[in-house]
Amino acid sequence: MAEDKTESKKEIVPGLDVDASGQVKGEANKNEVGQSASANVGATEDGKADGMYDSAHEQAGVYEETKVGGKVSTKDGLSASGGAIAGDGVKLGAGAGVGSGRTKVDVSTDVSIGDQIGATGGCHATMKDGVISVGVKGGIAAGLGLKGDVNLNIDTNAVQKDGKSFVHSCNDVWDSTFGKLY
């Protein structure tokens, strides 16, 4: 796989970054064959309050790609993807995420217009280091292209820790209330 990528990011005001990127990529392996080129400009806003964080990213760009392939993986769970797409055009995209620690939800979408045709899709359900990750993605193009991606990550370590803390609090309340009767 050969890849040449250029990125530049500049913080305009605290919490707002403007970025520009360009990429040329060619790949050939047992699962996929393809090439792509793209140029994008975007902005990212990040925020954090009371242990929660959120982010949003918007981008616009031009692209050209040809890709055919598919793969199935069972490492840390199951993931599968595949499809074929070819074309070039102009695209607009947006994504957002919200979460706390390693528990988060990310959603993104792209809309493109140009000489393009194809369909892609995929899904995954994995668990690694106590984080359950579930997601779906898909895309379809016939002149107008639409792409979407939704991912949910749940940190079971935090859930377990919060559960233990809750049980300990209940025990403390029980002891302080009814322990005096014994």
Side-chain angles (χ1 to χ4, degrees), residues 77-108:
L78 175 67
S79 63
S81 63
I85 197 156
D88 59 72
V90 175
K91 67 179 177 180
L92 298 172
V98 64
S100 175
R102 296 190 308 168
T103 300
K104 62 182 178 175
V105 176
D106 294 306
V107 178
S108 66

Side-chain angles (χ1 to χ4, degrees), residues 157-180:
N157 297 320
V159 172
Q160 181 181 17
K161 181 180 173 188
D162 291 344
K164 284 180 181 178
S165 177
F166 177 73
V167 169
H168 288 297
S169 296
C170 289
N171 287 337
D172 291 345
V173 169
W174 178 268
D175 289 343
S176 65
T177 304
F178 298 106
K180 297 175 184 176

Side-chain angles (χ1 to χ4, degrees), residues 50-61:
D50 298 327
M52 295 289 292
Y53 65 87
D54 61 59
S55 66
H57 184 83
E58 301 81 30
Q59 68 177 12

Side-chain angles (χ1 to χ4, degrees), residues 29-149:
N29 59 46
K30 64 182 179 181
N31 299 319
E32 292 184 311
V33 175
Q35 59 79 35
S36 64
S38 64
N40 300 293
V41 63
T44 303
E45 305 88 38
D46 293 312
K48 188 171 186 174
D50 298 327
M52 295 289 292
Y53 65 87
D54 61 59
S55 66
H57 184 83
E58 301 81 30
Q59 68 177 12
V62 295
Y63 77 96
E64 182 279 327
E65 73 178 329
T66 305
K67 193 177 208 179
V68 176
K71 66 181 177 179
V72 175
S73 172
T74 56
K75 183 177 181 185
D76 301 319
L78 175 67
S79 63
S81 63
I85 197 156
D88 59 72
V90 175
K91 67 179 177 180
L92 298 172
V98 64
S100 175
R102 296 190 308 168
T103 300
K104 62 182 178 175
V105 176
D106 294 306
V107 178
S108 66
T109 186
D110 286 344
V111 176
S112 57
I113 299 173
D115 296 327
Q116 56 189 337
I117 191 160
T120 62
C123 62
H124 72 272
T126 60
M127 183 165 179
K128 185 173 184 180
D129 297 329
V131 177
I132 297 171
S133 180
V134 179
V136 293
K137 63 182 177 179
I140 189 162
L144 175 66
L146 300 172
K147 241 187 226 184
D149 195 353

Side-chain angles (χ1 to χ4, degrees), residues 147-160:
K147 241 187 226 184
D149 195 353
V150 177
N151 288 295
L152 170 64
N153 295 312
I154 301 170
D155 185 355
T156 62
N157 297 320
V159 172
Q160 181 181 17

